[in-house]
Amino acid sequence: MRDLAQRCKRLLCGGLLLFSPLGEAKFAIAGYELVYDAPAETTLTASDLRSSAVVWQEMFASARTQIDIAQFYVANEPGSRLDKVIQTLRQAGERGVKIRFLMDQKGLKLSTPETLAQLKAIPGLTLRIMPFARLAGGIIHAKYLLVDGKQSFVGSQNFDWRALEHIQETGLLINDAPVVAQIAAIFNHDWAAQPLLEAGEKVPETGKGALPADLRAGRYLVASPRAWNPAGIPDSQLVLPQLLASARKRIRVQVMEYAPLSFGENRTRPFYAVIDNALRAAAARGVQVELMVANWNTKQPDIAWLKSLALVPGVTIKIVTIPEASSGFIPYARVVHSKIMTIDGELAWTGTSNWSGGYFDNSRNLELVLNDAVMAARLDALYEQLWQSRYAAPLRIDADYPAPDPGGLLRENAPRRYAP
């Protein structure tokens, strides 16, 4: 209780609890507002955090000259929160704002044709489909927005109506000018690379793997893949293990998927030990490690690796299951999808990567590292709410977990409308 009281005091004294023109509370530190989406019909509430639908609409409504959007795929539903976001985006195009929308080629299989048509009909919107696999072997998995080169949003939220209503997500609205400029540099790099890849031409490598002078100071962006990060942007795959190595007391991680594995050629699962080694090493030196993953992570062989990690003294793992909505089964929804970490109650990490191979090494992803005790305390409180909820259950070493079925493909008479 004393720890919780101290965290609340830090939140009240060091953070900014403001109210938007719509009367919604928002929690922010200088340059960064924490944004949160909770699945409908759950107890995962956060009255001081605005939703991404509200923030995205505000961003698009404020745009004067340019909106840039990068997403893996797009999937709207008429009358949904995302539908209102797209309407606001259309209004921006109608008043002359130029819109660049970058999407991954593999995301076409997940996208609905109606949503693609809806976007293409927006005045002033240019849609580019990028074959990112030709560049680095992965995908555009980053989910981010830019408005007028002055403001950005980075988070786990896909451009999908379910992300805004039936999935747990976390992101950041960013007004930190140097970081926004770096995010814009990443978008401009990938936007310019797209036609080169389409034409079969080579895209020059740009990344140098530079690191901040002190990883446990300041606020900064990291990204992947290293070879195609614009100059001056550190490599996520290099920074994350070093941050884990710097932990002294506690590491808290929430991701949808964790496994020291990665799909390889011919669907093989090569060993990817970068993060796993760092977590085990932290536990070995006495750091308390807490990890939450979605129930979609219980497939084989992922669950075997989770059980292996849970056997390490000092490591506690919980599986999170979000109940089905009262309206019935919704494919690829009702899941926790946030990608967050805190270290020692001092550092906050919020990004777009799951913690398995393919995300930090060959896909486009962005993560924000905030060395700020106030933001870390708010993320810790968000983490604890889920950790202590009825949705999170300790991983049982002796349990035989069923194979996850996020698309409902194993159900009789299951709807297929949103299945990839």
Side-chain angles (χ1 to χ4, degrees):
M1 291 296 295
R2 181 180 299 175
D3 287 344
L4 183 58
Q6 290 175 342
R7 278 192 293 273
C8 290
K9 183 178 180 181
R10 282 189 293 182
L11 288 172
L12 291 171
C13 296
L16 297 176
L17 187 58
L18 305 174
F19 288 88
S20 72
L22 297 177
E24 294 182 304
K26 54 182 181 180
F27 173 83
I29 61 173
Y32 298 86
E33 177 188 341
L34 188 61
V35 179
Y36 182 68
D37 294 295
E41 302 174 352
T42 67
T43 59
L44 303 177
T45 58
S47 60
D48 62 328
L49 304 181
R50 294 198 294 168
S51 68
S52 55
V54 168
V55 170
W56 291 359
Q57 288 181 77
E58 180 182 89
M59 293 177 71
F60 295 160
S62 71
R64 295 293 174 263
T65 59
Q66 184 82 37
I67 295 173
D68 295 326
I69 304 171
Q71 286 279 337
F72 180 32
Y73 70 97
V74 296
N76 187 29
E77 175 80 352
S80 69
R81 293 177 186 174
L82 182 62
D83 200 39
K84 295 177 181 177
V85 170
I86 294 177
Q87 291 173 20
T88 309
L89 184 64
R90 180 179 182 85
Q91 291 167 1
E94 289 173 342
R95 65 175 182 268
V97 176
K98 299 300 180 184
I99 305 166
R100 297 187 294 177
F101 203 117
L102 185 65
M103 197 180 90
D104 192 85
Q105 187 177 66
K106 291 185 178 180
L108 288 173
K109 294 186 295 183
L110 304 174
S111 301
T112 59
E114 298 86 354
T115 310
L116 289 169
Q118 192 176 11
L119 292 175
K120 291 176 182 178
I122 294 176
L125 187 147
T126 302
L127 176 67
R128 286 188 179 178
I129 307 299
M130 185 174 187
F132 200 87
R134 298 183 193 174
L135 181 70
I139 60 175
I140 298 176
H141 190 257
K143 307 95 167 53
Y144 64 103
L145 320 169
L146 289 148
V147 170
D148 296 335
K150 298 178 180 179
Q151 188 178 59
S152 183
F153 177 92
V154 175
S156 59
Q157 294 88 341
N158 286 302
F159 209 76
D160 182 336
W161 74 274
R162 291 160 294 190
L164 309 188
E165 300 181 27
H166 292 284
I167 300 175
Q168 187 245 23
E169 312 272 13
T170 308
L172 289 169
L173 175 61
I174 306 164
N175 289 287
D176 184 345
V179 169
V180 172
Q182 289 182 318
I183 296 170
I186 289 174
F187 184 92
N188 289 331
H189 173 276
D190 292 352
W191 185 261
Q194 188 270 347
L196 295 178
L197 294 173
E198 284 285 356
E201 298 180 21
K202 184 177 177 60
V203 177
E205 293 189 8
T206 54
K208 304 297 182 183
L211 288 175
D214 184 355
L215 296 179
R216 292 296 297 267
R219 305 163 187 180
Y220 53 92
L221 174 76
V222 297
S224 62
R226 181 201 59 79
W228 289 279
N229 282 348
I233 299 177
D235 172 25
S236 305
Q237 188 175 221
L238 185 61
V239 170
L240 179 56
Q242 293 192 37
L243 289 177
L244 295 172
S246 74
R248 302 180 301 276
K249 299 176 182 178
R250 185 184 65 208
I251 297 168
R252 283 175 161 166
V253 180
Q254 186 206 327
V255 287
M256 187 187 79
E257 176 186 274
Y258 177 92
L261 300 164
S262 177
F263 279 116
E265 294 182 5
N266 301 318
R267 307 292 285 181
T268 58
R269 297 299 300 260
F271 188 41
Y272 178 82
V274 176
I275 305 169
D276 199 62
N277 284 348
L279 286 179
R280 291 171 187 264
R285 64 177 184 271
V287 175
Q288 176 185 343
V289 177
E290 297 175 1
L291 171 64
M292 276 192 292
V293 298
N295 60 326
W296 294 5
N297 203 182
T298 58
K299 60 184 177 294
Q300 289 289 359
D302 301 39
I303 189 64
W305 282 105
L306 285 170
K307 289 180 177 180
S308 170
L309 181 59
L311 288 172
V312 177
V315 176
T316 306
I317 299 176
K318 288 191 176 184
I319 307 291
V320 182
T321 303
I322 302 298
E324 189 172 294
S326 61
S327 59
F329 177 71
I330 304 171
Y332 304 101
R334 311 302 293 176
V335 71
V336 292
H337 193 243
S338 296
K339 297 93 166 61
I340 62 173
M341 172 181 68
T342 65
I343 295 179
D344 297 335
E346 301 169 352
L347 179 144
W349 166 291
T350 300
T352 69
S353 294
N354 288 306
W355 284 24
S356 58
Y359 291 95
F360 293 109
D361 46 353
N362 60 9
S363 290
R364 175 62 80 200
N365 278 291
L366 310 180
E367 332 291 332
L368 278 303
V369 181
L370 308 180
N371 286 284
D372 185 281
V374 173
M375 182 61 79
R378 186 63 190 91
L379 269 189
D380 272 335
L382 207 57
Y383 187 96
E384 285 183 13
Q385 181 191 51
L386 182 57
W387 184 265
Q388 300 295 344
S389 74
R390 63 186 178 91
Y391 313 117
L395 174 67
R396 291 180 52 195
I397 302 298
D398 59 344
D400 185 12
Y401 286 87
D405 186 25
L409 302 180
L410 303 179
R411 291 171 172 247
E412 291 186 12
N413 302 317
R416 295 290 185 268
R417 183 172 180 183
Y418 302 109

